[in-house]
Amino acid sequence: MKKNVLVIGAGGVAQVTAHKCAQNNDVLGDIHIASRTVSKCRDIIASIHEKKSMKVDGVLEAHALDALDVEATKALIARTGAQIVINLGSAFVNMSVLQACIETGAAYIDTAIHEDPLKICENPPWYGNYEWKRREACAAAGVTAILGAGFDPGVVNAYAALLVRDWMDETDSLDIIDVNAGSHGKWFATNFDPEINFREFTGQVWSWQNRQWTSNQMFEIRKEWDLPVVGASTTYMTGHDEIHSLSKNLDVPNIRFWMGFGDHYINVFTVLKNLGLLSEQPVRTAEGVEVAPLKVVKAVLPDPSSLAKDYTGKTCIGVLAKGRKDGKDAEALIYQISDHKEAFEEVGSQGISYTAGVPAAAAALLIATGEWDAKTMVNVEELPAEPFINLLNRIGLPSRVKDAAGDRDLAF
Amino acid sequence: MKKNVLVIGAGGVAQVTAHKCAQNNDVLGDIHIASRTVSKCRDIIASIHEKKSMKVDGVLEAHALDALDVEATKALIARTGAQIVINLGSAFVNMSVLQACIETGAAYIDTAIHEDPLKICENPPWYGNYEWKRREACAAAGVTAILGAGFDPGVVNAYAALLVRDWMDETDSLDIIDVNAGSHGKWFATNFDPEINFREFTGQVWSWQNRQWTSNQMFEIRKEWDLPVVGASTTYMTGHDEIHSLSKNLDVPNIRFWMGFGDHYINVFTVLKNLGLLSEQPVRTAEGVEVAPLKVVKAVLPDPSSLAKDYTGKTCIGVLAKGRKDGKDAEALIYQISDHKEAFEEVGSQGISYTAGVPAAAAALLIATGEWDAKTMVNVEELPAEPFINLLNRIGLPSRVKDAAGDRDLAF
C-alpha cells in the first residue's frame, strides 16, 4: 500500500489527473503538483477547489520544480513524502524523473515515451532506446514503474491484452484506432502543443507487420473505419509507442496504429511542411532575426488550452482484433467514447486531455491498493486488465465491446 | 533630346531594363545602375557583359545609393549627368526619387505606384494619394514624369487607349487580363518579393464598375478565360494601379483587372493568411523572439531571383474591350505573349521581369528621341501609343490583336 501523490507537469493532462487524484484522495492521501511554472500548478489547484473535486479534506499543494534536475526532484519527493510520482511533464524529463524515483523508492507512472530534444521521432525500438534500459535498476530497487499509462498507450494496451487472451485463440492483427470527432470551432488548431503535435507527423511512421518493423511516410496509408457513435472516420497509419511494447509482449504478427485526421488538417499540415515552416532549424529573416519557423507557427496558432471551453463532440479510441476463435474467423472491438463538453464541465479540460489523464490517476489508485504495485518496470499490457477496466468504468472512462455477440458495456 | 540613363534598383526587373538600355546605348548614352546594395548592380553589369548586351562601347557603372535620400539621389544624377532616371527600386522610394528629378530636371520613369510602408494596400484613388499631387510641380519645372511604364500598368494602358480610340465608337468595358502560364518547378514560390506579392492580395480589391469604385474581397470573384496560346485560364478580380488612371483618362464605365492564379497558389495563400502567417505585426515566440510572421514566410520561400533559370512556359497579358462599333456589338483583344526561357537566355531574368522591364527601357528611348518627352507628369495612356507599340515589337515584346477580322500582329 502506497500513498501521497506527486504530479509533475501542469498542462491539460496534468489538470485532469490532478482532479481525478483529488476525487480519490481518501485512498491516495496528499496531492502535490509540481512544474517549472508554479503559477500553472496554482491554477490547477484553484480549478480543483472551484469544482469541489477534493473528496475529503487533505493536503493539496503547488511546487516549483525543474524536473530535469534529479537532485531537486528527489528532494521534493522526500519533502512531500510522495510514494507515487505521476510524470506528466514534457517528454524530455522522463529519464530524470525515473532516476529520482529509483533513488528514492517512489513508484513511477508516465504516459508517453522519453524523447531526446535533439532527436525528432526516433526509430523503434522506442522503449528500448531509454526506458527498458532502466528495467533491471527498477527491479533491483523494487521500484514500480508503469510506462505509458494514459489512453494510448495505456488503456489500449489493456484492451489488446484482453482481446488476445479472451476473444481470440490466434490473433492475426491488432488495429489501434484513435479518432477525435470533436470540433474546437477554430479555423485551425492543434489539440496539444503544436511543436509536439507536428513533430509526431514529420517523419517516417512505423508499424509492426508480418512480425517486422515496416516504415512508411506519414499520411501515406489511409484507412476508413465505421466506428461506434462517431461513425465513418478517416485515419492514417501513424507510429505510436504501444506498437513497440505490444509487439514484444503479445504474440501478434500485425500491430498498427491509426490516427484520425480530416482533410483540412492534412492540407494545412502539408502546406506548412512543404514550405519549410515546420522546421526546427532556425532561419534568418532579411532583417537578421534568427528564429525556428516552427516556433513562429506555434506563436500564431491558438493556445491548445484555450480550445477546451468551446470544444464539442466526441472521441472514440479502441482496439480492433482479428483472428480465429474456436476454429472460426473472429473479430472484436473494445472501445471508449468520451465527450469534450462533459470533460470540460467536470474537470476544465477537453476530451483528449481527459482520456489521457484519467488512466494515469487510475494507475496511481491501483498502485495505492497494491493491485498494480509490480515492484519492477512494466508496460500496461503486463498488468491485470480487469481492475483497471472496472476502475475506469467507475471514474469516467467506461469501456464497451463490440463483437459477434453485440455491442455492450465491458466490465468484470 | 535627352540622354544618359540612371537605373535605380537592382532586382529582376532592373536587370531586364539595364540589359535593354545597354542594347540601345547608341541612343541612350551612358548607363548607370544604383542600389543600396552595390554588389547587385555589379552582378547586373557582369551579366550585361556576359551576354554582350552593350550595342556600342560606352559607360556602364554601378553606384551605391539610398534612394530615400533625396540629396544623395540629386548628387548622383548630377555626377552621372543622367537626364533620364528609371526608378525600379522598392515602391517606397517613388516620391523621393521623383523629388530628386523635379529638383534636377531629369526625366522620371517608374512602373508601379508609390506605397507608404506603414499603409498596406491603400484605397483608390491610388495615383491621387501621392503621384498626381506632384503633377503641377513637374509641369512648372518642365520635368517629364511617366508613371507606370511597365507592362501592367504601362503597355496595357496603351492597349486600352488604342482599343477605345480605334476599335470602338462606344466602349462598355475594359478587362485587363494577366496570366502567367509558366512553371518554376518548385512546390511553391512567389514570382517577386513574397512580402510585396502577398500584401497585394491580403485586403480588399477595387474595380471600376458603372463608373464607381466597387470593393470586393480578394479571391471573391473568379472568371475563366480562353486566351491565345496559353488557353483556358482561371483568374480572380484584383485591384491594380492602372484601373485608377484609366478610369480618369478614358470614358469607359467598367474597368477591371484579372490576375491568373492556380488553385494551388490560392490554397497555400489561404492557409498562410488564415493562420496569421502573412501578418506584418510581430508575434513573440515562447522563447521571447519578436518577429513578423510574414518575414519568416519570406525567409523560407525560394528567392524569386533563383526561379529564373528553370522557368518554362509563357505569359499572356492583354486588354479585352467590349462595346459598339458602327452600330454593332464589337469585341477586341490586344495582347502579348512572352516566353520565360527565351527571356532568361537573352537577359538572365524570367518572363515576368522581362515584360515589366522592357517597357521601362522603351519609355526611356522614347524620351530620348523626344516622342514621349512630355515635360509634365503623364500616365502611359496619355502618350502616343503607336511609337511605343512599334518599338516594343522591335525590342522583344511584340503585340498582337484578335478581333472580328482575325488574330494578327499589331503594328503601325
Side-chain angles (χ1 to χ4, degrees):
Chain A
M1 303 287 285
K2 290 192 165 76
K3 64 189 299 185
N4 302 333
V5 173
L6 170 61
V7 174
I8 293 179
V13 176
Q15 168 147 337
V16 173
T17 303
H19 269 272
K20 286 290 163 187
C21 289
Q23 289 172 8
N24 294 279
N25 71 335
D26 55 334
V27 177
L28 291 173
D30 302 346
I31 315 291
H32 298 271
I33 311 170
S35 163
R36 204 152 39 171
T37 313
V38 71
S39 63
K40 293 172 72 179
C41 306
R42 294 202 185 102
D43 291 345
I44 291 176
I45 288 174
S47 161
I48 288 171
H49 288 310
E50 185 205 327
K51 300 275 187 190
K52 303 193 193 320
S53 285
M54 293 284 274
K55 182 166 186 183
V56 299
D57 278 349
V59 171
L60 177 64
E61 283 177 10
H63 306 269
L65 175 68
D66 173 3
L68 286 170
D69 181 340
V70 175
E71 292 307 315
T73 307
K74 284 164 60 181
L76 184 60
I77 291 170
R79 203 163 76 241
T80 56
Q83 292 180 299
I84 304 171
V85 174
I86 309 179
N87 171 28
L88 304 169
S90 89
F92 308 144
V93 306
N94 286 15
M95 288 306 99
S96 52
V97 174
L98 177 60
Q99 188 59 34
C101 289
I102 292 171
E103 294 185 28
T104 57
Y108 171 89
I109 298 168
D110 68 27
T111 63
I113 49 165
H114 182 78
E115 284 190 67
D116 183 324
L118 300 178
K119 298 180 189 168
I120 298 178
C121 291
E122 293 185 62
N123 292 343
W126 294 303
Y127 287 113
N129 292 332
Y130 302 98
E131 284 81 355
W132 290 353
K133 291 177 178 168
R134 275 80 172 175
R135 193 194 275 139
E136 289 190 13
C138 288
V143 163
T144 297
I146 303 182
L147 303 177
F151 207 103
D152 43 340
V155 180
V156 297
N157 301 47
Y159 289 173
L162 284 170
L163 286 163
V164 169
R165 190 193 69 189
D166 295 347
W167 269 264
M168 301 287 155
D169 294 330
E170 188 186 356
T171 310
D172 289 334
S173 64
L174 292 170
D175 287 298
I176 304 159
I177 307 160
D178 180 337
V179 168
N180 172 20
S183 168
H184 47 57
K186 307 275 184 192
W187 191 79
F188 182 83
T190 56
N191 291 307
F192 51 102
D193 184 348
E195 224 176 318
I196 305 293
N197 184 272
F198 288 131
R199 278 163 62 117
E200 257 192 41
F201 312 133
T202 310
Q204 291 177 296
V205 301
W206 293 90
S207 56
W208 182 252
Q209 303 203 63
N210 299 315
R211 300 186 192 280
Q212 287 180 11
W213 287 109
T214 306
S215 166
N216 292 93
Q217 290 304 302
M218 187 65 205
F219 299 123
E220 181 183 343
I221 304 192
R222 172 181 172 134
K223 198 167 170 66
E224 312 283 339
W225 306 92
D226 185 18
L227 297 174
V229 184
V230 299
S233 302
T234 301
T235 66
Y236 292 82
M237 187 183 277
T238 315
H240 229 244
D241 316 5
E242 57 268 43
I243 301 171
H244 181 220
S245 70
L246 293 174
S247 72
K248 289 284 177 188
N249 291 321
L250 302 178
D251 179 31
V252 178
N254 298 289
I255 306 175
R256 299 166 290 234
F257 187 94
W258 305 90
M259 176 89 73
F261 291 96
D263 289 345
H264 177 59
Y265 181 99
I266 292 172
N267 181 45
V268 170
F269 176 87
T270 303
V271 167
L272 295 176
K273 178 164 183 287
N274 284 349
L275 293 185
L277 286 166
L278 299 186
S279 171
E280 309 232 347
Q281 298 302 315
V283 296
R284 194 183 169 86
T285 71
E287 295 70 29
V289 178
E290 296 240 353
V291 66
L294 181 54
K295 307 281 188 186
V296 178
V297 170
K298 177 175 171 174
V300 299
L301 289 181
D303 180 343
S305 70
S306 73
L307 305 176
K309 67 179 173 32
D310 299 316
Y311 229 120
T312 57
K314 295 183 192 294
T315 65
C316 175
I317 316 175
V319 182
L320 176 69
K322 292 189 182 183
R324 269 159 303 286
K325 179 76 173 175
D326 302 329
K328 289 189 294 192
D329 285 352
E331 185 173 323
L333 173 74
I334 303 184
Y335 68 97
Q336 203 283 319
I337 303 288
S338 280
D339 183 276
H340 288 291
K341 194 155 180 289
E342 288 173 13
F344 183 70
E345 284 168 2
E346 184 193 340
V347 299
S349 293
Q350 32 87 332
I352 294 166
S353 300
Y354 193 85
T355 56
V358 173
L365 279 161
L366 293 172
I367 291 174
T369 59
E371 287 160 286
W372 273 19
D373 196 8
K375 316 279 190 205
T376 184
M377 176 179 282
V378 288
N379 291 80
V380 169
E381 66 272 26
E382 301 176 82
L383 293 162
E386 294 87 341
F388 190 41
I389 302 298
N390 286 343
L391 177 56
L392 292 170
N393 284 343
R394 182 168 70 75
I395 67 170
L397 293 178
S399 295
R400 290 178 65 84
V401 63
K402 184 179 176 185
D403 59 15
D407 189 334
R408 62 200 181 276
D409 290 338
L410 178 67
F412 300 92
Chain B
M1 303 289 284
K2 291 192 166 75
K3 65 188 299 186
N4 302 334
V5 172
L6 170 61
V7 174
I8 294 178
V13 176
Q15 168 146 338
V16 174
T17 303
H19 269 271
K20 285 290 162 188
C21 288
Q23 290 173 8
N24 294 280
N25 71 336
D26 54 334
V27 177
L28 290 173
D30 301 347
I31 314 292
H32 297 271
I33 310 170
S35 163
R36 204 151 43 170
T37 312
V38 70
S39 62
K40 293 171 73 179
C41 306
R42 295 204 184 100
D43 290 345
I44 291 176
I45 287 174
S47 160
I48 288 171
H49 288 310
E50 186 206 326
K51 301 278 187 188
K52 302 193 194 323
S53 286
M54 292 286 273
K55 183 166 185 182
V56 297
D57 277 348
V59 171
L60 177 64
E61 283 178 10
H63 306 269
L65 175 69
D66 173 3
L68 286 170
D69 183 339
V70 175
E71 293 307 316
T73 307
K74 284 164 60 183
L76 184 60
I77 291 170
R79 202 164 78 241
T80 56
Q83 293 179 296
I84 303 171
V85 174
I86 308 179
N87 171 28
L88 304 169
S90 91
F92 309 142
V93 307
N94 285 16
M95 288 306 99
S96 52
V97 174
L98 177 59
Q99 187 60 34
C101 289
I102 292 171
E103 295 184 29
T104 56
Y108 172 88
I109 298 167
D110 69 26
T111 63
I113 50 166
H114 182 77
E115 283 190 67
D116 183 325
L118 300 178
K119 298 180 188 168
I120 299 177
C121 290
E122 293 184 60
N123 293 344
W126 294 302
Y127 287 113
N129 291 332
Y130 302 97
E131 283 81 357
W132 290 354
K133 291 177 179 168
R134 276 79 172 175
R135 193 194 276 139
E136 290 190 12
C138 288
V143 162
T144 297
I146 303 182
L147 304 177
F151 207 101
D152 43 342
V155 180
V156 297
N157 301 48
Y159 289 172
L162 285 169
L163 286 163
V164 168
R165 191 192 69 188
D166 295 346
W167 269 265
M168 301 287 152
D169 294 328
E170 189 186 355
T171 310
D172 290 333
S173 63
L174 292 169
D175 287 298
I176 304 159
I177 307 160
D178 180 337
V179 167
N180 172 20
S183 168
H184 47 56
K186 306 276 183 191
W187 190 80
F188 182 84
T190 55
N191 290 309
F192 50 103
D193 184 346
E195 225 177 317
I196 305 293
N197 183 273
F198 288 130
R199 278 163 62 116
E200 259 192 41
F201 313 132
T202 309
Q204 291 176 296
V205 301
W206 293 90
S207 56
W208 182 251
Q209 304 205 60
N210 299 314
R211 301 187 192 279
Q212 287 179 15
W213 287 110
T214 305
S215 165
N216 291 94
Q217 290 304 301
M218 186 66 205
F219 300 123
E220 181 184 341
I221 304 192
R222 173 179 171 134
K223 199 166 168 66
E224 311 283 338
W225 305 92
D226 186 18
L227 297 173
V229 184
V230 300
S233 302
T234 301
T235 65
Y236 292 82
M237 187 184 276
T238 315
H240 229 244
D241 316 6
E242 57 268 42
I243 301 172
H244 180 221
S245 70
L246 293 174
S247 72
K248 290 282 178 191
N249 292 322
L250 301 179
D251 179 31
V252 178
N254 298 289
I255 306 175
R256 298 165 292 235
F257 187 94
W258 305 90
M259 176 90 71
F261 291 96
D263 290 343
H264 177 60
Y265 181 99
I266 292 174
N267 179 46
V268 170
F269 176 85
T270 303
V271 167
L272 294 176
K273 179 164 181 289
N274 284 348
L275 294 185
L277 287 166
L278 299 186
S279 171
E280 309 232 346
Q281 298 303 314
V283 296
R284 195 182 167 85
T285 70
E287 294 72 28
V289 178
E290 296 240 355
V291 66
L294 181 54
K295 307 282 188 185
V296 178
V297 170
K298 177 175 171 173
V300 300
L301 289 181
D303 181 344
S305 70
S306 72
L307 305 176
K309 65 178 175 31
D310 299 316
Y311 229 121
T312 57
K314 295 184 190 296
T315 64
C316 176
I317 316 176
V319 182
L320 176 69
K322 291 190 182 182
R324 270 159 305 284
K325 179 76 174 174
D326 301 328
K328 288 190 292 194
D329 286 351
E331 185 174 322
L333 172 75
I334 304 184
Y335 67 96
Q336 203 284 319
I337 303 287
S338 279
D339 184 276
H340 289 290
K341 194 157 183 290
E342 288 172 15
F344 183 72
E345 283 168 3
E346 184 193 339
V347 299
S349 294
Q350 34 85 332
I352 294 166
S353 301
Y354 192 85
T355 57
V358 173
L365 280 161
L366 293 171
I367 291 173
T369 59
E371 289 160 286
W372 273 19
D373 197 8
K375 316 278 190 206
T376 185
M377 176 181 281
V378 288
N379 290 81
V380 170
E381 66 271 27
E382 301 176 84
L383 294 162
E386 294 86 343
F388 190 40
I389 302 295
N390 286 343
L391 177 56
L392 291 171
N393 284 343
R394 181 170 70 75
I395 68 171
L397 293 178
S399 295
R400 290 177 65 83
V401 62
K402 183 180 176 185
D403 58 16
D407 188 335
R408 60 201 182 278
D409 290 338
L410 178 67
F412 300 91

